[in-house]
C-alpha cells in the first residue's frame, strides 16, 4: 500500500506533510548507514541511489523497502566506508547541513523525483537522522549486543532461506562498529 517516492514527491513534498515525510526519510538514511544499504539514497555512497525503495502511504507515512545489509570484510574497504560515514555525520551536524554528502542526496532527489530539495528540506532530513540516532543510542545502551541478537535471531528464523539467498556470513560486529561510528559522529 502506497506509492514509490518518485511518483508522489512533487505532490506530497509541496504539501503539509513535507516535514513529516522528510523527517521519516532521514530516519531511513540512518538505518541505511548503519547496515551499509547503498540502494536508497546516496548520502555515504557515490551511486545514484534508488528512491523507488521508499514508499509513501496516504497521510505521509513512509516505508522503506528492499533492505540490504552489506558487510565489508576487506580492511581497507571497511576503513574507507567508515571514513565516508564519519564525513556524512560531520556534515549532518554542521549548521547549514550542506556539503558533498547532502549534495548527492539532493541530486538523487532531483534526478529521480523532479523535486528540488532546499536547505530547509535538507535540515528536515538531518533532523530525522539525528532523532533516529537517539533511538539507536538508547538501544545500544539498553542492549550492547543488540546487533548480534537481532541478526542471529533473524538468521535462525529464516533457516535454510538464508543460505539459499546467498548469505555467506553475517557479521554483527560490523553493524555494531558502524553504529558506534555513527553515534560518535553525531554525538548522540
Amino acid at each position: 500500500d502506497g506509492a514509490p517516492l518518485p511518483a508522489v514527491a512533487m505532490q506530497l513534498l509541496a504539501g503539509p506533510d513535507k516535514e513529516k515525510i522528510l523527517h521519516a526519510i532521514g530516519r531511513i538514511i540512518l538505518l541505511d548507514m548503519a547496515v551499509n544499504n547503498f540502494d536508497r539514497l546516496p548520502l555515504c555512497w557515490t551511486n545514484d541511489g534508488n528512491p523507488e525503495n521508499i514508499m509513501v502511504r496516504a497521510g505521509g507515512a513512509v516505508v522503506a523497502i528492499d533492505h540490504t545489509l552489506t558487510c565489508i570484510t576487506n580492511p581497507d574497504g571497511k576503513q574507507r566506508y567508515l571514513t565516508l560515514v564519519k564525513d556524512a555525520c560531520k556534515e549532518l551536524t554542521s549548521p547549514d547541513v550542506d556539503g558533498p554528502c547532502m549534495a548527492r542526496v539532493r541530486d538523487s532527489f532531483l534526478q529521480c523525483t523532479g523535486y528540488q530539495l532546499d536547505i530547509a528540506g535538507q535540515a528536515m532530513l538531518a533532523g530525522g537522522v539525528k532523532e533516529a540516532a537517539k533511538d539507536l543510542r538508547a538501544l545500544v545502551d539498553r542492549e550492547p549486543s543488540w546487533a548480534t541478537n537481532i541478526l542471529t535471531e533473524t538468521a535462525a528464523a529464516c533457516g535454510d532461506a538464508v543460505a539459499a539467498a546467498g548469505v555467506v556470513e553475517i557479521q554483527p560486529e560490523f553493524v555494531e562498529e558502524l553504529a558506534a561510528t555513527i553515534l560518535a559522529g553525531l554525538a548522540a
Side-chain angles (χ1 to χ4, degrees):
D1 182 28
L5 179 64
V8 296
M10 292 298 283
Q11 174 190 0
L12 293 179
L13 294 176
D17 291 328
K18 174 184 177 177
E19 185 169 1
K20 176 182 174 181
I21 292 168
L22 291 175
H23 192 83
I25 292 170
R27 293 181 64 85
I28 292 168
I29 288 172
L30 180 98
L31 168 68
D32 287 345
M33 282 195 305
V35 298
N36 189 24
N37 179 21
F38 51 84
D39 192 30
R40 222 179 318 262
L41 288 172
L43 183 72
C44 296
W45 307 274
T46 56
N47 62 350
D48 292 335
N50 184 6
E52 293 273 339
N53 287 335
I54 300 172
M55 303 292 285
V56 184
R57 293 182 172 162
V62 177
V63 178
I65 64 168
D66 195 16
H67 311 297
T68 302
L69 165 59
T70 307
C71 297
I72 301 172
T73 57
N74 175 283
D76 292 336
K78 182 174 156 184
Q79 190 55 51
R80 278 193 303 275
Y81 182 62
L82 291 173
T83 299
L84 291 171
V85 168
K86 289 174 189 175
D87 291 347
C89 290
K90 183 177 179 182
E91 193 172 303
L92 288 167
T93 56
S94 71
D96 64 359
V97 194
D98 194 25
C101 298
M102 192 57 79
R104 288 191 295 271
V105 172
R106 193 175 56 244
D107 292 348
S108 180
F109 254 84
L110 185 59
Q111 179 182 26
C112 297
T113 71
Y115 182 79
Q116 180 66 49
L117 189 62
D118 59 14
I119 292 290
Q122 292 172 200
M124 292 171 197
L125 284 174
V129 171
K130 292 173 194 173
E131 180 183 275
K134 289 178 185 175
D135 292 343
L136 179 59
R137 167 56 65 202
L139 174 63
V140 168
D141 289 347
R142 185 176 63 248
E143 191 174 346
S145 298
W146 65 276
T148 299
N149 296 342
I150 290 170
L151 295 174
T152 302
E153 289 172 20
T154 302
C158 294
D160 293 338
V162 173
V167 175
V168 176
E169 181 179 4
I170 296 176
Q171 297 180 338
E173 61 279 351
F174 175 78
V175 177
E176 289 171 354
E177 184 176 2
L178 278 175
T181 299
I182 292 166
L183 293 173
L186 294 174

